């Protein structure tokens, strides 16, 4: 099948971006060398749906180095980078993606990646699995299994599993330690602020930042806001997370109260309409709204539209909504996840671990799909440890190991 990309003349810029991240992804480089030797995907077709920027492009190249024919589509209309897509085509990967396609085109690209009837998939947010289940079950037949990248997709795959509708085995890569501990927390923490800062070019120090949701991502976003000198308020629906945020030194209160105080609002819950009419009505003039959750449903854009008299783009990736009472509210990246819609996503060193885990998990599901069955399983601990060990080696950090005596002690109930 022929690739669909915006402009092949952009390829040189894309190659430079991919080469840059490759230099900073030593774990994935080691896995690539191993895959070149062992060819775990020889003769197989792998369909990938991920944010199509440079780190993802390098993962696609590593899977190809393992013997696969790789077909890739973007997982978000704003995060696809056209130069990276063009470079991937030159590297022999079939790409169905453009930056900012219309919604129908975006969906069509996902379908095209599945129409190759892949043997394995890498999914993000459950786009492939839900599409296959609800609209194209005819394309499931060859699929041995796959890997899911993010919290929202794991939730969807678990729901499919619960109703008996998960059509093949999936590995919840998101739930691996080397993913959520670092990617969701430190990756999101840094890249969300990187994208907000470069998009707005405004100061954070002294301002009030409201972080909605204190999960893995929310912890990172709040931690980095504090580091930038902001006063940070956390809102939650989970009592345990709320206490954790409080003991981490943040103010905790209901969003309807925080709404009156915030200069920046960052929703990162994986839930829908967490910022809605009752909050928008009381926000300060000039408040900035961003979403870092997977889908663009956390800020209720219907409410924003209903409460406003006009909307215009005032700067790249900033939409100004003028409310009926004259206040102005600013929405970043159309309410899509801000760090990819208005930035380059997580740092390469973070995605090194995430995508290393993706690569080894994909090889694992290919090997074990018959015994796993139609379930979504967590990443086997030995794979997590393998990635962590390679990362430590790359960082030049040594750690201690247990003595034989200690091993016995830790497995025993006896006290000497
Ligand atoms: N932007 C990125 O690069 C990036 C990276 C990883 C994950 N994600 C996405 O971010 C979202 C969150 O992921 P996570 O790993 O932090 O999930 P998580 O499950 O660890 O945390 C989500 C938190 O939101 C809270 N929450 C739910 N509804 C709420 C509401 N109405 N008000 C306040 N809090 C609420 C939950 O109690 C929970 O503590 C998901 O959609 C995930 O796919 C984005």
């Amino acid at each position: 099948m022929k690739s669909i990309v915006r402009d092949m003349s952009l390829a040189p810029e894309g190659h430079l971006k991919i080469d840059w991240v490759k230099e900073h992804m030593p774990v994935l480089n080691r896995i690539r060398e191993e895959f070149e030797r062992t060819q775990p995907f020889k003769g197989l077709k792998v369909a990938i749906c991920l944010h199509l920027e440079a780190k993802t492009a390098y993962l696609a190249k590593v899977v190809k180095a393992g013997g696969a024919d790789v077909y890739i589509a973007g997982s978000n209309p704003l995060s696809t980078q056209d130069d990276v897509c063009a470079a991937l085509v030159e590297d022999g990967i079939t790409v169905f993606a453009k930056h900012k396609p219309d919604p129908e085109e975006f969906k069509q690209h996902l379908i095209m990646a599945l129409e190759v009837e892949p043997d394995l998939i890498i999914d993000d947010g459950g786009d492939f699995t839900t599409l296959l289940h609800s609209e194209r079950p005819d394309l499931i037949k060859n699929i041995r299994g796959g890997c899911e990248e993010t919290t929202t997709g794991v939730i969807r795959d678990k729901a499919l599993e619960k109703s008996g509708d998960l059509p093949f085995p999936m590995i919840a890569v998101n739930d691996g330690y080397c993913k959520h501990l670092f990617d969701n927390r430190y990756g999101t923490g840094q890249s969300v602020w990187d994208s907000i800062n470069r998009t707005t070019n405004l100061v954070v120090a002294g301002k009030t930042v409201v972080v909605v949701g204190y999960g893995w991502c929310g912890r990172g976003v709040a931690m980095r806001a504090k580091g930038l000198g902001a006063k940070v308020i956390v809102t939650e629906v989970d009592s345990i997370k709320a206490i954790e945020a409080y003991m981490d030194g943040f103010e905790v209160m209901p969003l309807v109260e925080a709404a009156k105080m915030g200069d920046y609002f960052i929703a990162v819950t994986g839930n829908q309409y967490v910022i809605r009419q009752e909050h928008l009505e009381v926000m300060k003039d000039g408040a900035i709204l961003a979403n870092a959750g997977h889908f663009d449903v956390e800020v209720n854009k219907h409410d924003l539209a209903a409460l406003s008299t006009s909307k215009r783009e005032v700067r790249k990736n900033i939409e100004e909504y003028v409310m009926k009472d004259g206040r102005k509210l600013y929405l970043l990246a159309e309410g899509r996840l801000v760090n990819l819609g208005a930035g380059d996503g997580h740092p390469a060193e973070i995605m090194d671990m995430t995508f290393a885990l993706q690569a080894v998990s994909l090889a694992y599901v290919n090997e074990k799909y018959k015994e796993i069955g139609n379930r979504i399983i967590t990443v086997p601990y030995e794979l997590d440890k393998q990635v962590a060990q390679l990362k430590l080696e790359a960082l030049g950090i040594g750690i201690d190991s247990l003595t034989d005596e200690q091993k016995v002690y830790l497995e025993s109930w006896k006290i000497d």
Side-chain angles (χ1 to χ4, degrees):
M1 224 190 262
K2 209 172 157 329
S3 290
I4 296 178
V5 296
R6 178 88 53 200
D7 181 356
M8 280 307 294
S9 74
L10 301 173
E13 185 64 26
H15 286 301
L16 286 176
K17 285 185 178 175
I18 300 169
D19 288 348
W20 170 257
V21 300
K22 179 173 177 280
E23 289 296 308
H24 297 89
M25 300 181 92
V27 180
L28 207 48
N29 286 332
R30 287 277 295 273
I31 288 166
R32 179 188 178 139
E33 284 159 21
E34 191 191 313
F35 279 3
E36 278 167 350
R37 245 189 2 264
T38 58
Q39 294 289 291
F41 310 122
K42 195 169 170 42
L44 299 181
K45 289 185 245 176
V46 176
I48 300 178
C49 162
L50 284 171
H51 296 290
L52 227 175
E53 48 70 59
K55 282 95 63 183
T56 300
Y58 189 49
L59 171 67
K61 290 178 69 166
V62 170
V63 173
K64 183 172 187 290
D69 285 329
V70 179
Y71 305 84
I72 191 163
S75 62
N76 181 301
L78 285 193
S79 63
T80 295
Q81 299 188 9
D82 290 324
D83 47 5
V84 170
C85 293
L88 270 186
V89 174
E90 286 193 350
D91 286 333
I93 285 165
T94 310
V95 180
F96 309 108
K98 288 176 185 171
H99 181 73
K100 259 190 166 179
D102 63 50
E104 198 38 52
E105 208 182 2
F106 176 74
K107 184 172 164 193
Q108 204 46 44
H109 292 157
L110 291 172
I111 292 173
M112 288 170 121
L114 292 171
E115 277 177 340
V116 306
E117 300 195 352
D119 302 279
L120 295 165
I121 62 165
I122 295 179
D123 202 2
D124 193 8
D127 274 355
F128 273 164
T129 51
T130 51
L131 190 57
L132 285 164
H133 172 66
S134 54
E135 293 182 41
R136 295 301 302 269
D138 58 305
L139 301 174
I140 292 171
K141 55 183 177 292
N142 288 346
I143 302 178
R144 298 176 175 184
C147 295
E148 169 54 52
E149 168 76 2
T150 197
T151 315
T152 288
V154 171
I155 291 170
R156 291 177 155 198
D157 285 350
K158 280 187 177 158
L160 282 172
E161 181 189 30
K162 198 168 164 198
S163 59
D165 292 316
L166 190 68
F168 38 73
M170 288 295 289
I171 300 193
V173 171
N174 179 75
D175 296 354
Y177 291 101
C178 283
K179 205 281 185 176
H180 67 270
L181 281 184
F182 310 111
D183 173 315
N184 298 31
R185 183 167 39 170
Y186 298 109
T188 311
Q190 178 166 331
S191 60
V192 159
W193 284 108
D194 169 46
S195 60
I196 292 176
N197 291 343
R198 71 160 92 163
T199 302
T200 62
N201 194 218
L202 296 173
V203 74
V204 181
K207 302 249 178 89
T208 298
V209 170
V210 179
V211 179
V212 186
Y214 202 66
W216 288 108
C217 295
R219 290 180 183 105
V221 173
M223 185 200 316
R224 294 299 174 237
K226 190 177 180 175
L228 286 166
K231 298 187 267 296
V232 183
I233 299 173
V234 169
T235 74
E236 251 297 342
V237 291
D238 179 314
S239 47
I240 298 169
K241 305 271 179 61
I243 298 174
E244 186 187 356
Y246 172 75
M247 295 222 178
D248 284 344
F250 301 116
E251 272 202 78
V252 178
M253 63 182 75
L255 181 54
V256 76
E257 283 173 35
K260 296 174 205 148
M261 299 153 79
D263 297 297
Y264 291 91
F265 293 83
I266 299 152
V268 62
T269 66
N271 204 346
Q272 69 169 352
Y273 305 153
V274 293
I275 298 181
R276 52 185 181 270
Q277 180 172 350
E278 67 201 90
H279 312 116
L280 299 168
E281 277 173 345
V282 295
M283 283 179 186
K284 293 196 292 196
D285 182 31
I288 291 170
L289 314 180
N291 165 47
H294 188 75
F295 286 117
D296 60 338
V297 292
E298 306 221 5
V299 178
N300 189 332
K301 290 191 271 183
H302 310 294
D303 285 355
L304 253 183
L307 291 169
S308 59
T309 52
S310 66
K311 174 180 112 169
R312 64 180 179 131
E313 189 170 55
V314 287
R315 188 176 152 97
K316 190 164 182 239
N317 286 317
I318 307 182
E319 285 171 319
E320 174 195 77
Y321 285 81
V322 180
M323 302 288 111
K324 288 176 183 155
D325 58 11
R327 283 173 307 130
K328 290 173 181 166
L329 301 181
Y330 297 102
L331 180 67
L332 306 189
E334 300 174 7
R336 298 185 188 281
L337 78 183
V338 68
N339 54 331
L340 281 138
D344 287 316
H346 296 353
E349 298 99 321
I350 296 276
M351 294 315 287
D352 189 25
M353 281 187 285
T354 298
F355 284 163
L357 209 55
Q358 276 286 4
V360 294
S361 296
L362 194 69
Y364 182 88
V365 79
N366 182 42
E367 214 180 292
K368 306 271 185 192
Y369 67 99
K370 285 190 184 141
E371 49 191 277
I372 300 171
N374 293 355
R375 294 181 299 134
I376 172 154
I377 62 163
T378 48
V379 176
Y381 189 56
E382 64 272 15
L383 298 186
D384 246 330
K385 276 194 84 169
Q386 181 195 350
V387 169
Q389 187 53 42
L390 288 172
K391 189 71 180 175
L392 281 177
E393 282 169 26
L395 292 167
I397 297 173
I399 59 169
D400 293 321
S401 46
L402 294 170
T403 64
D404 289 342
E405 224 180 6
Q406 285 171 336
K407 282 184 198 155
V408 172
Y409 179 81
L410 288 176
E411 284 169 9
S412 162
W413 55 268
K414 286 187 198 153
I415 302 163
D416 279 339

